[in-house]
Amino acid sequence: MEPDPKIQAMQSRQDANVYIRQWKVGLMKTCPASPGFCCYAMCCGQCASYGLRKQALHGDMTRYLCCNGSCPCSGRMGEKSCPEFCLCLEVCCCFANSVAVTRWMIQDELRIVTSKCDNCLIGTMIVLQYVACICHIVACITGNEDIIMAARIIDLIADIVWCTVCACMQTQHKIELENRDTNPGAYGAPMAAPGVQMIPVGGAEASRAYPAPGQAPPPGYGYPPPPPGYGAPPPGYGAPPPGYGAPPPPGYGAPPPPGYAPPPPGYAPPPPGYAYPPQPGYAPQGYPPQQQMYK
């Protein structure tokens, strides 16, 4: 069974050997770095998420896919016909997922690793949301006023942490995207295509590099040379008989003798070898056979 590519991508974001870059600004320092956008993301997170997703796509909405293909509904929501409207629905109906998807897109494009501090803050936010949900379920089942009050307090704390961490995450995305667009050469070519590959033929041939475009390949490049005697007849192959290929006898193909009657009009030419004289008593071809009388 092949591993899930989504799980592989999530594990790769934790590997510093694959994702070699760090966020330009840590999650704890985003508010002092860009206080204006942080307040904007906290007050209107959906608008901020919409703008960041569009910026992550380099402004090309033809590349937009709902939740970037992470949900079963991706590709079935009419994104190609009206991507702006579909993105509005995504940030309004699936706001948390839209922020997470934009974050993964930035990490995959720029090869940014997820730090331990980011994991701690995001994990705390998610755990508080789960604890608040569990408290509400217990309060609904028991009807205890104390549990209901505790559920409301935990829910309030979870909402405050959620709004704060989510705003800091979007501010971190904004700073990274602005740096990418302002200094495109600073990140190199993270999505460069792999080089030309070839099938090695073994031995010294396997270490030869593919010739550059416009250059002729070196002598002997490609398949190895054929062995000595390649193409020669095998030993013991029979020789042609004596006289094979000798010139024809004198007079071969000469014109007919004088006085030879020409053929009638429309008569087909005789076959090869017809000019030779027939044997004595041999009837010419086409001669009508004689009828025999039986008594």
PDB file of all heavy atoms in Angstrom, residues 15 47-48 55 61 76 106 109 122 156 188 204 214 244 271:
ATOM      1  N   ASP A  15      10.943  18.242   8.146  1.00  0.00           N
ATOM      2  CA  ASP A  15      12.321  17.796   7.899  1.00  0.00           C
ATOM      3  C   ASP A  15      13.163  18.976   7.452  1.00  0.00           C
ATOM      4  O   ASP A  15      12.935  19.557   6.384  1.00  0.00           O
ATOM      5  CB  ASP A  15      12.327  16.699   6.828  1.00  0.00           C
ATOM      6  CG  ASP A  15      13.675  16.012   6.713  1.00  0.00           C
ATOM      7  OD1 ASP A  15      14.642  16.461   7.361  1.00  0.00           O
ATOM      8  OD2 ASP A  15      13.770  15.020   5.952  1.00  0.00           O
ATOM      9  N   CYS A  47     -11.193  38.513   4.839  1.00  0.00           N
ATOM     10  CA  CYS A  47     -10.646  39.370   3.782  1.00  0.00           C
ATOM     11  C   CYS A  47      -9.137  39.184   3.654  1.00  0.00           C
ATOM     12  O   CYS A  47      -8.592  39.142   2.546  1.00  0.00           O
ATOM     13  CB  CYS A  47     -10.992  40.831   4.067  1.00  0.00           C
ATOM     14  SG  CYS A  47     -12.762  41.190   4.083  1.00  0.00           S
ATOM     15  N   ALA A  48      -8.466  39.061   4.795  1.00  0.00           N
ATOM     16  CA  ALA A  48      -7.020  38.852   4.764  1.00  0.00           C
ATOM     17  C   ALA A  48      -6.678  37.510   4.125  1.00  0.00           C
ATOM     18  O   ALA A  48      -5.730  37.394   3.335  1.00  0.00           O
ATOM     19  CB  ALA A  48      -6.449  38.931   6.178  1.00  0.00           C
ATOM     20  N   GLN A  55      -2.438  36.274  -3.515  1.00  0.00           N
ATOM     21  CA  GLN A  55      -1.026  36.627  -3.625  1.00  0.00           C
ATOM     22  C   GLN A  55      -0.149  35.387  -3.679  1.00  0.00           C
ATOM     23  O   GLN A  55       0.865  35.363  -4.381  1.00  0.00           O
ATOM     24  CB  GLN A  55      -0.616  37.521  -2.451  1.00  0.00           C
ATOM     25  CG  GLN A  55       0.792  38.096  -2.556  1.00  0.00           C
ATOM     26  CD  GLN A  55       1.106  39.058  -1.427  1.00  0.00           C
ATOM     27  OE1 GLN A  55       0.291  39.280  -0.534  1.00  0.00           O
ATOM     28  NE2 GLN A  55       2.297  39.624  -1.453  1.00  0.00           N
ATOM     29  N   MET A  61      -5.487  33.561 -10.916  1.00  0.00           N
ATOM     30  CA  MET A  61      -6.606  32.805 -10.359  1.00  0.00           C
ATOM     31  C   MET A  61      -6.985  31.596 -11.214  1.00  0.00           C
ATOM     32  O   MET A  61      -7.821  30.788 -10.799  1.00  0.00           O
ATOM     33  CB  MET A  61      -7.810  33.723 -10.199  1.00  0.00           C
ATOM     34  CG  MET A  61      -7.629  34.777  -9.120  1.00  0.00           C
ATOM     35  SD  MET A  61      -7.332  34.064  -7.481  1.00  0.00           S
ATOM     36  CE  MET A  61      -8.906  33.309  -7.140  1.00  0.00           C
ATOM     37  N   ARG A  76     -14.589  20.347  -7.910  1.00  0.00           N
ATOM     38  CA  ARG A  76     -15.982  20.087  -8.267  1.00  0.00           C
ATOM     39  C   ARG A  76     -16.893  21.267  -7.930  1.00  0.00           C
ATOM     40  O   ARG A  76     -18.110  21.117  -7.949  1.00  0.00           O
ATOM     41  CB  ARG A  76     -16.489  18.846  -7.521  1.00  0.00           C
ATOM     42  CG  ARG A  76     -15.636  17.603  -7.767  1.00  0.00           C
ATOM     43  CD  ARG A  76     -16.135  16.435  -6.942  1.00  0.00           C
ATOM     44  NE  ARG A  76     -15.299  15.253  -7.126  1.00  0.00           N
ATOM     45  CZ  ARG A  76     -15.499  14.087  -6.501  1.00  0.00           C
ATOM     46  NH1 ARG A  76     -16.526  13.965  -5.663  1.00  0.00           N
ATOM     47  NH2 ARG A  76     -14.691  13.065  -6.711  1.00  0.00           N
ATOM     48  N   ILE A 106       2.696  28.165   0.835  1.00  0.00           N
ATOM     49  CA  ILE A 106       3.912  28.973   0.965  1.00  0.00           C
ATOM     50  C   ILE A 106       5.086  28.100   1.370  1.00  0.00           C
ATOM     51  O   ILE A 106       6.205  28.233   0.840  1.00  0.00           O
ATOM     52  CB  ILE A 106       3.677  30.103   1.986  1.00  0.00           C
ATOM     53  CG1 ILE A 106       2.585  31.056   1.486  1.00  0.00           C
ATOM     54  CG2 ILE A 106       4.960  30.884   2.245  1.00  0.00           C
ATOM     55  CD1 ILE A 106       2.170  32.099   2.502  1.00  0.00           C
ATOM     56  N   GLU A 109       6.230  25.959  -1.651  1.00  0.00           N
ATOM     57  CA  GLU A 109       6.870  26.714  -2.732  1.00  0.00           C
ATOM     58  C   GLU A 109       8.251  27.210  -2.325  1.00  0.00           C
ATOM     59  O   GLU A 109       9.201  27.105  -3.111  1.00  0.00           O
ATOM     60  CB  GLU A 109       6.000  27.906  -3.127  1.00  0.00           C
ATOM     61  CG  GLU A 109       6.630  28.770  -4.228  1.00  0.00           C
ATOM     62  CD  GLU A 109       5.817  30.007  -4.549  1.00  0.00           C
ATOM     63  OE1 GLU A 109       4.758  30.209  -3.920  1.00  0.00           O
ATOM     64  OE2 GLU A 109       6.246  30.780  -5.417  1.00  0.00           O
ATOM     65  N   ILE A 122       0.280  26.423  17.434  1.00  0.00           N
ATOM     66  CA  ILE A 122      -0.851  25.896  16.655  1.00  0.00           C
ATOM     67  C   ILE A 122      -1.478  24.712  17.371  1.00  0.00           C
ATOM     68  O   ILE A 122      -2.715  24.564  17.412  1.00  0.00           O
ATOM     69  CB  ILE A 122      -0.372  25.510  15.247  1.00  0.00           C
ATOM     70  CG1 ILE A 122       0.132  26.754  14.496  1.00  0.00           C
ATOM     71  CG2 ILE A 122      -1.488  24.849  14.459  1.00  0.00           C
ATOM     72  CD1 ILE A 122       0.800  26.450  13.173  1.00  0.00           C
ATOM     73  N   LEU A 156     -14.389  30.719  25.450  1.00  0.00           N
ATOM     74  CA  LEU A 156     -13.933  32.094  25.283  1.00  0.00           C
ATOM     75  C   LEU A 156     -12.414  32.165  25.179  1.00  0.00           C
ATOM     76  O   LEU A 156     -11.872  32.887  24.334  1.00  0.00           O
ATOM     77  CB  LEU A 156     -14.429  32.941  26.461  1.00  0.00           C
ATOM     78  CG  LEU A 156     -14.025  34.427  26.449  1.00  0.00           C
ATOM     79  CD1 LEU A 156     -14.575  35.116  25.201  1.00  0.00           C
ATOM     80  CD2 LEU A 156     -14.494  35.128  27.730  1.00  0.00           C
ATOM     81  N   GLY A 188      15.923  31.786  -4.981  1.00  0.00           N
ATOM     82  CA  GLY A 188      16.413  30.937  -6.047  1.00  0.00           C
ATOM     83  C   GLY A 188      15.275  30.394  -6.879  1.00  0.00           C
ATOM     84  O   GLY A 188      14.304  31.090  -7.162  1.00  0.00           O
ATOM     85  N   ALA A 204      32.098   2.268 -17.848  1.00  0.00           N
ATOM     86  CA  ALA A 204      32.498   3.665 -17.973  1.00  0.00           C
ATOM     87  C   ALA A 204      31.441   4.504 -18.643  1.00  0.00           C
ATOM     88  O   ALA A 204      31.404   5.714 -18.483  1.00  0.00           O
ATOM     89  CB  ALA A 204      33.813   3.754 -18.763  1.00  0.00           C
ATOM     90  N   GLY A 214      23.332  21.645 -28.435  1.00  0.00           N
ATOM     91  CA  GLY A 214      24.168  22.257 -29.465  1.00  0.00           C
ATOM     92  C   GLY A 214      25.552  21.658 -29.582  1.00  0.00           C
ATOM     93  O   GLY A 214      26.309  22.011 -30.486  1.00  0.00           O
ATOM     94  N   TYR A 244      30.049 -19.805 -60.742  1.00  0.00           N
ATOM     95  CA  TYR A 244      28.937 -18.925 -60.343  1.00  0.00           C
ATOM     96  C   TYR A 244      29.300 -17.481 -60.671  1.00  0.00           C
ATOM     97  O   TYR A 244      30.371 -16.999 -60.300  1.00  0.00           O
ATOM     98  CB  TYR A 244      28.676 -19.089 -58.850  1.00  0.00           C
ATOM     99  CG  TYR A 244      27.542 -18.219 -58.339  1.00  0.00           C
ATOM    100  CD1 TYR A 244      26.220 -18.609 -58.529  1.00  0.00           C
ATOM    101  CD2 TYR A 244      27.804 -17.024 -57.677  1.00  0.00           C
ATOM    102  CE1 TYR A 244      25.180 -17.830 -58.073  1.00  0.00           C
ATOM    103  CE2 TYR A 244      26.774 -16.232 -57.221  1.00  0.00           C
ATOM    104  CZ  TYR A 244      25.457 -16.635 -57.421  1.00  0.00           C
ATOM    105  OH  TYR A 244      24.435 -15.842 -56.959  1.00  0.00           O
ATOM    106  N   PRO A 271       8.287 -15.260 -74.372  1.00  0.00           N
ATOM    107  CA  PRO A 271       8.952 -15.292 -73.052  1.00  0.00           C
ATOM    108  C   PRO A 271      10.456 -15.417 -73.213  1.00  0.00           C
ATOM    109  O   PRO A 271      10.971 -15.752 -74.274  1.00  0.00           O
ATOM    110  CB  PRO A 271       8.335 -16.539 -72.399  1.00  0.00           C
ATOM    111  CG  PRO A 271       7.936 -17.409 -73.541  1.00  0.00           C
ATOM    112  CD  PRO A 271       7.507 -16.484 -74.637  1.00  0.00           C
TER     113      PRO A 271
END
